Amino acid sequence: MLTKILTQGPIPRVEIARRTGLSQAAVTKAVAPLIETGFVTDAPAGDDGQLGIGRPVSPLTVVASSASVIGVKVTPTSLIGVTTDLTAGILNVRHDALDSTDPEAVIDRLADHVKALISALKTGTAMAGPLVGIGIAVSGDVDATHGVVRDSPLMGWRGVPVAELLGKRVRVPILVSNDVRALTVAEHWFGAGVNADSFAVVTIGSGIGCGLYINGEVVSGAYGVSGELGHLPLAPGELVCTCGRRGCVETVASSDAILARTREQTGRPGLDLAGAVELAHDGNLQAREAFDRAGEVIGAALAAMVNLVGPELVMIAGEGVAEYDLYEERMRRAFAEHAFGAAGDCRLTLRSHTFDDWARGAAATVIRSYVRGEPPLQR
Amino acid sequence: MLTKILTQGPIPRVEIARRTGLSQAAVTKAVAPLIETGFVTDAPAGDDGQLGIGRPVSPLTVVASSASVIGVKVTPTSLIGVTTDLTAGILNVRHDALDSTDPEAVIDRLADHVKALISALKTGTAMAGPLVGIGIAVSGDVDATHGVVRDSPLMGWRGVPVAELLGKRVRVPILVSNDVRALTVAEHWFGAGVNADSFAVVTIGSGIGCGLYINGEVVSGAYGVSGELGHLPLAPGELVCTCGRRGCVETVASSDAILARTREQTGRPGLDLAGAVELAHDGNLQAREAFDRAGEVIGAALAAMVNLVGPELVMIAGEGVAEYDLYEERMRRAFAEHAFGAAGDCRLTLRSHTFDDWARGAAATVIRSYVRGEPPLQR
């Protein structure tokens, strides 16, 4: 009920009844305790807010300030954290650099980072509700149930019990998620996915990730893994991925792979990514070829995903979208070549997420669990 | 409600209440008309069937004979049809050969086939309920909403309005589906998928298909396409598929591809599939290599699918499972090599479906629509 109000509000009771198939009386009854505890409010009805005599149809809205959450995106070089209200509206932002990816060191910094965000919440001018949970987003195979990062090639982590380690320093419920899945939750609840029956978020950058929303829920995978678009075996088999497997999409399409290829082809080992992008923009053929190869494999990967799950919409995101012009054409061509039948009708759209959006995604996972009353974030 | 009773019955009212979150009174009220119209019955309660005084908790069961349906699988060489009761129990089976895949000719034969099945229903000794619909299963891109086969490379069909054409000859509601998706519906409602939270059915044979059950529903694709595992671009790019695309899994792994490869490598153009299988079993290296290549690509395709959607269980099915021993090892090795992290924990199991099971799948799609009260099969 709260979920409907949160994602579709302001919404009249009669509309909730229609969408849930419940009677209006049942909706009114279910909503009453939410209003009583302050999570939901009736916005003042206008002149047309009356349906017949004495039947108010005041739309229901979630009270944003009734709770606050923290979301942190962990990258190999930095921690990006936000505090938000119950509608994922950002209250505070904090960026802290990391000088090591050693798990112990990162957890230390993460604890300080979170404590600083908690202080910011307490001292901020915005009216912040009680802090109900902390979401941590990490790339890779994350066991969300136990709060363990099982395998994150990007971080170089294996079996790091983030929730347990952080939980010793900060006494607030902690939810650890795959970062792309967290971003997908945010898109579904608060973003471009609100009105889509199904969609995919594909992130391009230092890793290639994918979040899927199908049949009314973000796909989590029976064993906690899903959306590993970067590890589909679509690249040449002689290339070895950071994950140790052969032929993964990331061996050609990650920003590191593009940079390595450009360095190799141009014979300029000191080049950085910005330099490679500049070379490609200047029309350097070797640099362009590296981006072409990436576009080709990303397009094939998109087609593979679309052929399998057939989403309505694909949002292309991640830091790599900054260089979208360098691979878009090849990507779209490869996609069109390999998309099967009507699956190719799927719209490919660009979404420019900032790192703060990723942190907001981590916050969104907490809001979702809290609103649904899932442990350990029961309302 | 009827869905729960059908897939999980015999089931007590109190258990339905628990699983749906409805009150027991609401369940009793919802079930009453189903009992009245004869779809559902209270099985006689045993001595322990009483909960307190005067409160019967007789489990509810669907009355199998309250309706009958027809399911037909259309292949390029034959029509395989079944009649079933409301629980997908097979009443009659009928096989008719096709000598042409010309749409008009096939529809003619299909109309005769269906009429023969209707006669069998009427004259059979089994108590058959009223015929509520006909399911037609065809491989390829099927627009189930409009009953149109949009693109079936295997049949050589494009834009064939099966429901409309057949509907002119047979005045019974018709539901046209992708064949693998129909099989997946049958596995979910009546088969090995009943207790799985998510699963995939992968069919290997003249085509390579895949049905997915995720987040409480068979994945249909926003544009009607999903599960096209046979058209993931995982094979060498120089190979052209029957669908016209390059590098599709089927260019290496379909039974036609395996046969073509064996013929080419052994220099025996007159070989048939049975001959190729025999050669491989006899240890002929060229024939074995053709199956190895197929196993390799199928394994990579399974890994790609599992990395993306992370099902609990994969059932490997299709006529190609008869030669499973010839490619299983390579398939499992390639799967293990490319499955990412815990996604590889997914169980791969073998399901030997007969062609009658495919026809039963078509029947299951009708039962599903009927039980849910979807048009044009409203209860």
Side-chain angles (χ1 to χ4, degrees):
Chain A
M1 191 70 56
L2 189 49
T3 307
K4 278 259 175 299
I5 302 168
L6 184 59
T7 59
Q8 290 161 20
I11 183 170
R13 287 171 178 83
V14 62
E15 186 58 23
I16 296 179
R18 199 183 63 77
R19 294 188 198 175
T20 55
L22 294 172
S23 71
Q24 213 177 325
V27 170
T28 297
K29 196 174 154 194
V31 163
L34 295 176
I35 294 179
E36 206 163 304
T37 50
F39 288 120
V40 167
T41 184
D42 311 56
D47 281 346
D48 54 356
Q50 301 288 326
L51 182 72
I53 294 158
R55 288 187 63 94
V57 287
S58 339
L60 299 163
T61 318
V62 160
V63 178
S65 62
S66 61
S68 64
V69 306
I70 286 176
V72 183
K73 154 92 167 166
V74 179
T75 82
T77 56
S78 63
L79 300 173
I80 299 103
V82 298
T83 64
T84 81
D85 61 27
L86 193 57
T87 63
I90 291 180
L91 304 173
N92 308 94
V93 177
R94 183 178 178 91
H95 293 201
D96 281 313
L98 288 178
D99 43 24
S100 155
T101 56
D102 174 73
E104 294 286 337
V106 172
I107 299 292
D108 276 348
R109 301 299 305 269
L110 188 53
D112 293 343
H113 182 82
V114 163
K115 284 174 187 166
L117 285 166
I118 293 174
S119 297
L121 264 182
K122 284 183 180 155
T123 60
T125 50
M127 267 250 297
L131 176 63
V132 297
I134 300 169
I136 307 290
V138 186
S139 114
D141 174 0
V142 177
D143 175 354
T145 310
H146 302 101
V148 175
V149 175
R150 283 191 292 219
D151 185 11
S152 173
L154 209 64
M155 294 301 294
W157 287 4
R158 268 183 179 268
V160 178
V162 173
E164 188 193 327
L165 296 175
L166 184 60
K168 286 179 184 160
R169 326 279 182 90
V170 188
R171 299 282 171 196
V172 179
I174 294 162
L175 210 61
V176 187
S177 310
N178 168 278
D179 56 350
V180 184
R181 206 166 306 152
L183 196 62
T184 308
V185 171
E187 286 291 357
H188 168 52
W189 279 52
F190 307 107
V194 167
N195 295 311
D197 281 337
S198 61
F199 68 88
V201 176
V202 172
T203 59
I204 296 172
S206 53
I208 314 282
C210 175
L212 297 167
Y213 174 83
I214 308 171
N215 291 340
E217 186 57 87
V218 173
V219 177
S220 58
Y223 305 96
V225 173
S226 69
E228 291 294 346
L229 197 77
H231 301 282
L232 302 191
L234 290 163
E238 66 272 17
L239 300 174
V240 179
C241 185
T242 48
C243 75
R245 294 173 189 82
R246 289 178 175 278
C248 292
V249 165
E250 288 187 4
T251 61
V252 166
S254 75
S255 45
D256 275 359
I258 293 172
L259 176 57
R261 177 79 174 180
T262 310
R263 284 174 175 169
E264 181 194 304
Q265 297 290 305
T266 57
R268 294 164 67 164
L271 207 65
D272 64 4
L273 187 62
V277 169
E278 201 183 320
L279 274 184
H281 275 143
D282 289 349
N284 177 291
L285 291 182
Q286 285 95 357
R288 289 208 66 102
E289 189 258 2
F291 281 97
D292 280 350
R293 262 168 50 116
E296 179 96 26
V297 168
I298 294 168
L302 289 177
M305 182 269 287
V306 159
N307 290 355
L308 279 176
V309 302
E312 183 180 322
L313 166 74
V314 177
M315 301 175 213
I316 298 169
E319 69 272 22
V321 299
E323 294 91 46
Y324 193 60
D325 60 305
L326 289 172
Y327 56 82
E328 180 184 5
E329 195 196 325
R330 279 296 267 273
M331 185 199 81
R332 287 191 181 269
R333 203 194 307 161
F335 174 76
E337 276 169 15
H338 297 298
F340 187 81
D345 292 349
C346 171
R347 280 172 295 138
L348 306 183
T349 65
L350 211 61
R351 287 278 286 172
S352 297
H353 291 114
T354 64
F355 269 118
D356 296 351
D357 289 320
W358 289 81
R360 186 168 170 265
T365 63
V366 174
I367 296 170
R368 179 178 68 166
S369 283
Y370 178 66
V371 163
R372 288 183 178 168
E374 291 168 0
L377 304 171
Q378 294 97 329
R379 275 182 285 124
Chain B
M1 192 69 58
L2 190 48
T3 307
K4 278 259 176 299
I5 301 169
L6 184 58
T7 58
Q8 290 162 20
I11 183 170
R13 287 172 177 83
V14 61
E15 185 59 23
I16 297 180
R18 198 183 62 76
R19 295 192 198 173
T20 56
L22 294 172
S23 72
Q24 213 178 325
V27 171
T28 298
K29 196 174 153 193
V31 164
L34 295 176
I35 294 179
E36 205 163 306
T37 50
F39 287 120
V40 167
T41 185
D42 310 56
D47 282 345
D48 54 355
Q50 303 287 327
L51 182 72
I53 294 156
R55 287 188 64 94
V57 288
S58 338
L60 298 163
T61 318
V62 161
V63 178
S65 62
S66 62
S68 63
V69 307
I70 286 175
V72 183
K73 154 93 166 165
V74 179
T75 83
T77 55
S78 62
L79 301 172
I80 299 103
V82 297
T83 65
T84 81
D85 59 27
L86 192 57
T87 62
I90 292 181
L91 304 173
N92 309 93
V93 177
R94 185 179 175 90
H95 293 199
D96 281 312
L98 289 177
D99 45 22
S100 156
T101 56
D102 173 74
E104 293 287 337
V106 172
I107 299 293
D108 276 348
R109 301 299 306 270
L110 187 54
D112 292 343
H113 183 82
V114 165
K115 283 173 187 166
L117 285 167
I118 293 174
S119 297
L121 264 184
K122 283 182 180 156
T123 60
T125 50
M127 268 251 297
L131 177 63
V132 296
I134 300 170
I136 308 290
V138 186
S139 113
D141 175 359
V142 176
D143 175 354
T145 310
H146 301 100
V148 175
V149 175
R150 284 191 292 220
D151 185 10
S152 173
L154 208 64
M155 295 300 294
W157 287 5
R158 267 182 180 269
V160 178
V162 173
E164 188 193 327
L165 295 174
L166 184 61
K168 285 179 185 161
R169 327 277 180 89
V170 188
R171 299 283 170 195
V172 179
I174 294 161
L175 210 62
V176 187
S177 309
N178 169 278
D179 56 352
V180 184
R181 205 165 306 153
L183 197 62
T184 308
V185 171
E187 286 292 357
H188 168 51
W189 280 51
F190 307 107
V194 167
N195 296 310
D197 281 338
S198 61
F199 67 88
V201 176
V202 171
T203 59
I204 296 172
S206 53
I208 313 282
C210 175
L212 297 166
Y213 174 83
I214 308 172
N215 291 340
E217 186 57 87
V218 173
V219 177
S220 59
Y223 305 96
V225 174
S226 70
E228 291 293 347
L229 197 78
H231 301 282
L232 302 190
L234 290 164
E238 66 272 16
L239 299 174
V240 178
C241 186
T242 49
C243 75
R245 294 173 189 82
R246 288 177 176 279
C248 292
V249 166
E250 289 188 4
T251 61
V252 166
S254 75
S255 45
D256 275 359
I258 294 173
L259 176 57
R261 178 78 175 181
T262 310
R263 283 174 174 169
E264 183 194 303
Q265 297 291 307
T266 57
R268 294 165 68 162
L271 207 66
D272 64 4
L273 187 62
V277 169
E278 202 184 319
L279 274 184
H281 276 143
D282 289 348
N284 177 290
L285 291 181
Q286 285 94 358
R288 290 209 66 102
E289 188 259 2
F291 281 97
D292 280 349
R293 263 167 49 116
E296 179 95 26
V297 169
I298 293 168
L302 289 177
M305 182 269 287
V306 159
N307 289 355
L308 280 176
V309 303
E312 183 179 324
L313 168 73
V314 176
M315 301 175 214
I316 298 170
E319 69 272 22
V321 298
E323 294 91 46
Y324 192 60
D325 60 305
L326 289 172
Y327 55 82
E328 180 185 4
E329 194 197 325
R330 279 297 267 273
M331 184 198 81
R332 286 191 181 269
R333 203 194 308 161
F335 174 76
E337 276 169 16
H338 297 298
F340 186 82
D345 293 348
C346 171
R347 279 172 295 139
L348 306 182
T349 64
L350 210 62
R351 286 279 286 171
S352 296
H353 290 114
T354 64
F355 269 119
D356 296 352
D357 289 321
W358 288 81
R360 185 168 170 265
T365 64
V366 173
I367 296 170
R368 180 178 68 167
S369 283
Y370 178 65
V371 163
R372 288 183 178 169
E374 291 169 0
L377 304 171
Q378 294 98 329
R379 274 180 285 125

